[in-house]
Amino acid sequence: MSLEGIRSVRDLPVEGRRVFVRVDFNVPLEGGKVGDDTRIRAAIPTLRHLLERGARVVVASHLGRPKGAPDPKYSMEPAAQKLAELMGVEVLLADDCVGDGPRKVVQDLREGQIACLENLRFHAEEEKNDAQFAAELAKLGDVYVNDAFGAAHRAHASVAALPKQIRDRGAGFLMEAELDALGKISKGEVQRPYVAVLGGAKVSDKLAVLEALLQKVDALIIGGAMANTFLAAKGASMGKSLVEQDKLALARTIMTRAGERKVDLLLPDDFVVGTGLDATSGRAALPDEIGAEEMALDIGPKSVEAFSKKLRGAKTVFWNGPMGLFENEAFAAGTRAIAKTMSELSGAFTVVGGGDSVAAVQETGLADKFGHVSTGGGASLELLEGRKLPGVDALR
């Protein structure tokens, strides 16, 4: 997935025109306020650029899953407030995303103000990629910019149908950075050794990515609960750990394929185990020491050392998925240690691919030490699988 045939926001004729910017403000809310503003901050360079060039900026996003009807708890209001606070400009929130209300807000925009449309998913037509709904949205912009990489894998109206209805269209700075970094990783056009680190709960969630990466990497490190399935496939007794019993044969096939391709596949040598997901403490154990009532909930110290050693020799690293149940303090050490090791790799290109691994990197305060931290979980994985992203193709 490359930037070929896609114009940059730098090259679009935006002066004095209404620019419809699809952003990804699908942020967590806590008590009616934005809990994590990472995605809002990520859109600011594009929005500043447009304001500096005298554009009249209209931002649109979805938030949560409001089931195609207005729902006050999914209003864009907290996101609009946070954007105003971060940019130091006035952000006017429209009462809807189509119709007379938003048209009036956009029409009355003064220089230096931003209009924010209400949640796109308050209309079922958004997720149906409805052309008529897209035509209504198109009435609010003369130029279209997509800076919502996190939604680029969805064939939704504001992402896929709308750009085709506006001649002057292109990618924002965030979208460009994502496609550039992840494009290199997915094609394997990188410096070697190239090491991928995959974690998370299930092999089934990452199967297509595993298969795609096996063709490109020199080494593959597997942690998180998905490692349990691989170890069980090798005959380890994993106690009460999460194991996908129906994927054992598949895990064996992947291990065989890695051997055939001379890809070094590393699995945990030890774990931190606990009695359940809400356990407040754990103990280090080898795979054959896990009790019948215990679960492997993080990688252990030996695994951290072995994984870190492999990472220190890498020139390119892609990481997706935590090494354990990192949201529980008792089982966060493995994920944090891998984040720290990756942040210290000098001269290596390090990419964190969306989802929980990004949350882990943000939490450790090391995000700025990585080459690229992706804002799109599902989108980054689909791009690595070699699939076409509707929101990107619509910009060509």
Side-chain angles (χ1 to χ4, degrees):
M1 182 66 66
S2 69
L3 285 156
E4 205 179 317
I6 297 175
R7 292 163 82 185
S8 165
V9 64
R10 289 179 193 84
D11 307 322
L12 293 170
V14 302
E15 287 78 6
R17 298 175 85 196
R18 299 171 307 159
V19 182
F20 187 107
V21 188
R22 176 56 161 98
V23 290
D24 181 9
F25 288 177
N26 183 25
V27 292
L29 298 178
E30 289 162 16
K33 291 208 170 359
V34 173
D36 177 356
D37 62 14
T38 306
R39 287 179 166 179
I40 299 175
R41 285 176 185 276
I44 289 176
T46 295
L47 301 179
R48 278 213 195 289
H49 172 82
L50 290 167
L51 288 180
E52 280 162 13
R53 286 178 59 196
R56 289 156 66 201
V57 179
V58 182
V59 298
S61 178
H62 72 281
L63 199 163
R65 296 176 187 234
K67 302 198 168 78
D71 183 338
K73 77 167 183 275
Y74 294 119
S75 170
M76 294 304 300
E77 190 177 356
Q81 272 178 348
K82 180 54 79 173
L83 178 65
E85 178 191 314
L86 292 170
M87 286 189 69
V89 301
E90 194 177 358
V91 176
L92 310 171
L93 180 68
D95 61 355
D96 201 346
C97 56
V98 289
D100 293 340
R103 272 211 293 277
K104 176 95 173 77
V105 170
V106 173
Q107 197 181 317
D108 295 347
L109 265 186
R110 293 197 308 277
E111 203 167 306
Q113 292 178 326
I114 292 176
C116 177
L117 304 182
E118 190 46 282
N119 196 330
L120 292 161
R121 286 194 187 169
F122 283 178
H123 294 263
E125 296 87 346
E126 162 68 359
E127 293 186 71
K128 290 176 181 156
N129 199 19
D130 183 88
Q132 196 48 52
F133 178 67
E136 286 299 310
L137 291 172
K139 291 176 182 172
L140 301 172
D142 310 304
V143 179
Y144 175 89
V145 172
N146 192 341
D147 216 20
F149 178 73
H153 60 313
R154 310 267 187 220
H156 291 171
S158 64
V159 172
L162 172 60
K164 292 172 184 165
Q165 302 192 21
I166 298 179
R167 198 192 60 179
D168 288 319
R169 60 182 183 262
F173 297 134
L174 173 65
M175 180 70 88
E176 284 184 331
E178 294 273 14
L179 293 177
D180 182 49
L182 293 163
K184 285 178 192 151
I185 291 279
S186 67
K187 291 192 201 99
E189 292 170 358
V190 293
Q191 281 192 295
R192 298 189 172 276
Y194 173 11
V195 180
V197 183
L198 285 185
K202 295 178 173 179
V203 178
S204 49
D205 291 345
K206 305 275 167 84
L207 180 59
V209 172
L210 272 166
E211 294 188 331
L213 287 171
L214 275 180
Q215 330 254 344
K216 317 260 174 28
V217 301
D218 301 299
L220 185 57
I221 294 172
I222 296 179
M226 64 190 283
N228 303 342
T229 301
F230 282 88
L231 289 160
K234 290 176 80 171
S237 154
M238 298 301 295
K240 268 195 165 166
S241 309
L242 174 66
V243 172
E244 288 180 279
Q245 295 294 342
D246 60 337
K247 295 288 182 284
L248 298 180
L250 189 66
R252 287 186 204 103
T253 305
I254 290 168
M255 290 188 278
T256 304
R257 241 181 248 164
E260 289 165 358
R261 291 191 159 273
K262 303 204 165 23
V263 171
D264 192 5
L265 191 136
L266 284 75
L267 292 166
D269 300 316
D270 63 341
F271 296 95
V272 177
V273 299
T275 50
L277 302 179
D278 48 6
T280 51
S281 65
R283 67 177 187 93
L286 299 170
D288 57 359
E289 295 171 349
I290 299 172
E293 295 302 311
E294 290 181 311
M295 304 172 84
L297 296 170
D298 192 13
I299 56 173
K302 285 184 179 162
S303 304
V304 166
E305 193 40 56
F307 292 178
S308 296
K309 188 178 174 192
K310 180 55 79 177
L311 287 168
R312 286 188 197 107
K315 284 276 173 241
T316 304
V317 183
F318 171 73
W319 178 27
N320 177 279
M323 296 291 98
L325 188 70
F326 88 102
E327 53 273 37
N328 180 334
E329 190 58 38
F331 307 103
T335 301
R336 285 183 189 153
I338 294 305
K340 188 169 186 302
T341 298
M342 274 181 73
S343 73
E344 290 165 353
L345 299 179
S346 59
F349 181 49
T350 50
V351 177
V352 185
D356 289 338
S357 26
V358 171
V361 166
Q362 301 285 5
E363 185 209 296
T364 50
L366 299 168
D368 59 346
K369 303 275 196 294
F370 288 78
H372 181 75
V373 178
S374 180
T375 54
S380 61
L381 290 184
E382 287 194 20
L383 201 145
L384 282 175
E385 289 164 18
R387 285 156 69 176
K388 289 195 156 164
L389 304 186
V392 176
D393 276 352
L395 296 176
R396 293 190 201 286

